[in-house]
Amino acid sequence: MAEEVRIDKYLWAIRVFKTRSEAADACKGNKVKVNGADAKPAKMIKVGDTIRVRKAAVYYTFKVIGLIENRVGAHLVPEYAENLTPQEELDKLKAPVETFFVKRDRGAGRPTKKDRRTIEAMWDGIDFSDDFSDAYGEDSSDDFS
């Protein structure tokens, strides 16, 4: 077994990214850090390194336990990487969508006062029930206006 592995291969192998090219693009886009420093796709990692990956709004943190170059099944990933991602970061995945989009025809311009009143009426008609609060951890006493 090799003592060092390329970061893009490793991230693909432990299933952080679906393809190796996605992993390489993330490295090129400064979305991957190894031990606090930006990592290029060819950066060699070793056991004990800490990897931080930004995907969307979440920063995932992994500790290298074992080295691997070939993709493995999901049930084998814990043998090669320890997920150190804080719970606060994982909670960002469950954040409620705070806005909704009203479809407007192309070239229709800005909403008129009447359109705006209609949009506000739709917002007022939304019932943020206890089910919503339970699902997303919101306090039912929050003011959504």
Side-chain angles (χ1 to χ4, degrees):
M1 183 184 289
E3 293 184 24
E4 292 184 330
V5 176
R6 286 175 55 115
I7 185 72
D8 60 341
K9 277 188 176 183
Y10 183 79
L11 292 174
W12 167 74
I14 65 166
R15 300 178 162 269
V16 176
F17 294 101
K18 287 185 179 181
T19 65
R20 187 168 160 201
S21 61
E22 281 183 20
D25 290 343
C27 292
K28 290 175 190 172
N30 295 328
K31 294 181 170 120
V32 177
K33 294 185 182 293
V34 176
N35 297 329
D38 288 337
K40 292 183 179 179
K43 169 81 173 157
M44 301 302 273
I45 60 167
K46 57 188 180 303
V47 174
D49 284 347
T50 303
I51 301 171
R52 188 169 184 190
V53 179
R54 181 169 59 94
K55 286 180 72 174
V58 181
Y59 286 92
Y60 296 94
T61 307
F62 302 96
K63 182 175 182 181
V64 179
I65 297 175
L67 297 176
I68 186 168
E69 288 186 344
N70 298 321
R71 196 162 170 98
V72 294
H75 65 284
L76 295 176
V77 169
E79 295 177 18
Y80 301 100
E82 179 183 358
N83 191 348
L84 302 175
T85 307
Q87 187 61 41
E88 308 87 63
E89 290 293 324
L90 297 175
D91 290 343
K92 291 179 184 178
L93 296 170
K94 298 178 184 175
V97 177
E98 297 178 2
T99 61
F100 63 88
F101 297 98
V102 177
K103 183 167 178 356
R104 295 188 51 81
D105 293 329
R106 186 178 177 103
R110 294 175 55 185
T112 62
K113 285 185 181 180
K114 182 179 178 185
D115 293 338
R116 183 66 192 159
R117 288 187 196 113
T118 304
I119 293 169
E120 288 176 359
M122 288 177 14
W123 267 110
D124 291 341
I126 295 175
D127 179 26
F128 291 101
S129 64
D130 290 335
D131 293 335
F132 177 85
S133 300
D134 292 341
Y136 297 106
E138 295 291 331
D139 185 7
S140 60
S141 65
D142 287 347
D143 183 19
F144 291 100
S145 55

